[in-house]
């Protein structure tokens, strides 16, 4: 196997999954602050374990990523001071800015998953087929 996942990375993926789950539940439950805070803590711990402490620190302190890092930290602050909607908006923006360079890799990875890859590629295949039949 070209890329093996050790136990630390498995725990990191689990923590990220639980962080996303708690955040999703918090949004469904009308922006419950406790679940949002727990989701944020689990997500940050998961990212740190998945990428490694040094890589995580480099991502968050890189000069090009200051806008994303500041947005995520400001979002966490807003959640802790009882402004959860503004905090979530800031965190989503920060994640998009901070991890924007990873989207092409994520796209390639998602295309390789059997069912999800087919669902993601289906609209493109359908459009290509429609263009080909009209000529």
């Amino acid at each position: 196997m070209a890329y093996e996942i050790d136990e630390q990375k498995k725990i990191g993926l689990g923590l990220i999954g639980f962080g996303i789950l708690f955040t999703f539940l918090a949004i469904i439950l009308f922006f419950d602050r406790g679940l949002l805070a727990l989701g944020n803590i689990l997500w940050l711990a998961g990212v740190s374990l998945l990428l490694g402490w040094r890589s995580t620190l480099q991502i968050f302190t890189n000069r090009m990523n200051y806008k994303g890092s500041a947005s995520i930290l400001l979002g966490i602050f807003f959640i802790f001071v009882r402004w959860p909607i503004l905090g979530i908006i800031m965190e989503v923006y920060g994640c998009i800015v901070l991890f924007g360079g990873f989207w092409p890799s994520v796209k390639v990875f998602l295309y390789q998953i059997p069912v999800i890859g087919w669902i993601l590629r289906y609209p493109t295949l359908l459009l290509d087929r429609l263009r080909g039949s009209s000529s």
Side-chain angles (χ1 to χ4, degrees), residues 54-70:
R54 183 171 289 153
S55 296
T56 303
L57 189 63
Q58 286 176 350
I59 286 174
F60 278 94
T61 58
N62 187 1
R63 184 175 280 287
M64 301 294 290
N65 296 336
Y66 278 158
K67 189 188 291 187
S69 300

Side-chain angles (χ1 to χ4, degrees), residues 36-46 80:
L36 281 173
L38 187 60
N40 284 332
I41 291 168
L42 290 173
W43 183 81
L44 283 174
F80 284 128

Side-chain angles (χ1 to χ4, degrees), residues 40-126:
N40 284 332
I41 291 168
L42 290 173
W43 183 81
L44 283 174
V47 168
S48 298
L49 284 175
L50 182 66
L51 298 178
W53 298 104
R54 183 171 289 153
S55 296
T56 303
L57 189 63
Q58 286 176 350
I59 286 174
F60 278 94
T61 58
N62 187 1
R63 184 175 280 287
M64 301 294 290
N65 296 336
Y66 278 158
K67 189 188 291 187
S69 300
S71 297
I72 288 176
L73 294 175
L74 194 60
I76 291 171
F77 173 75
F78 282 143
I79 287 172
F80 284 128
V81 296
R82 300 181 182 201
W83 289 359
I85 296 173
L86 185 61
I88 287 291
I89 292 170
M90 292 297 291
E91 285 181 0
V92 168
Y93 172 74
C95 284
I96 290 171
V97 170
L98 190 63
F99 299 111
F102 295 112
W103 292 119
S105 300
V106 170
K107 180 181 166 186
V108 169
F109 173 74
L110 288 176
Y111 278 167
Q112 293 176 353
I113 298 174
V115 175
I116 296 173
W118 182 79
I119 292 170
L120 291 174
R121 276 185 256 147
Y122 186 72
T124 308
L125 294 173
L126 184 65

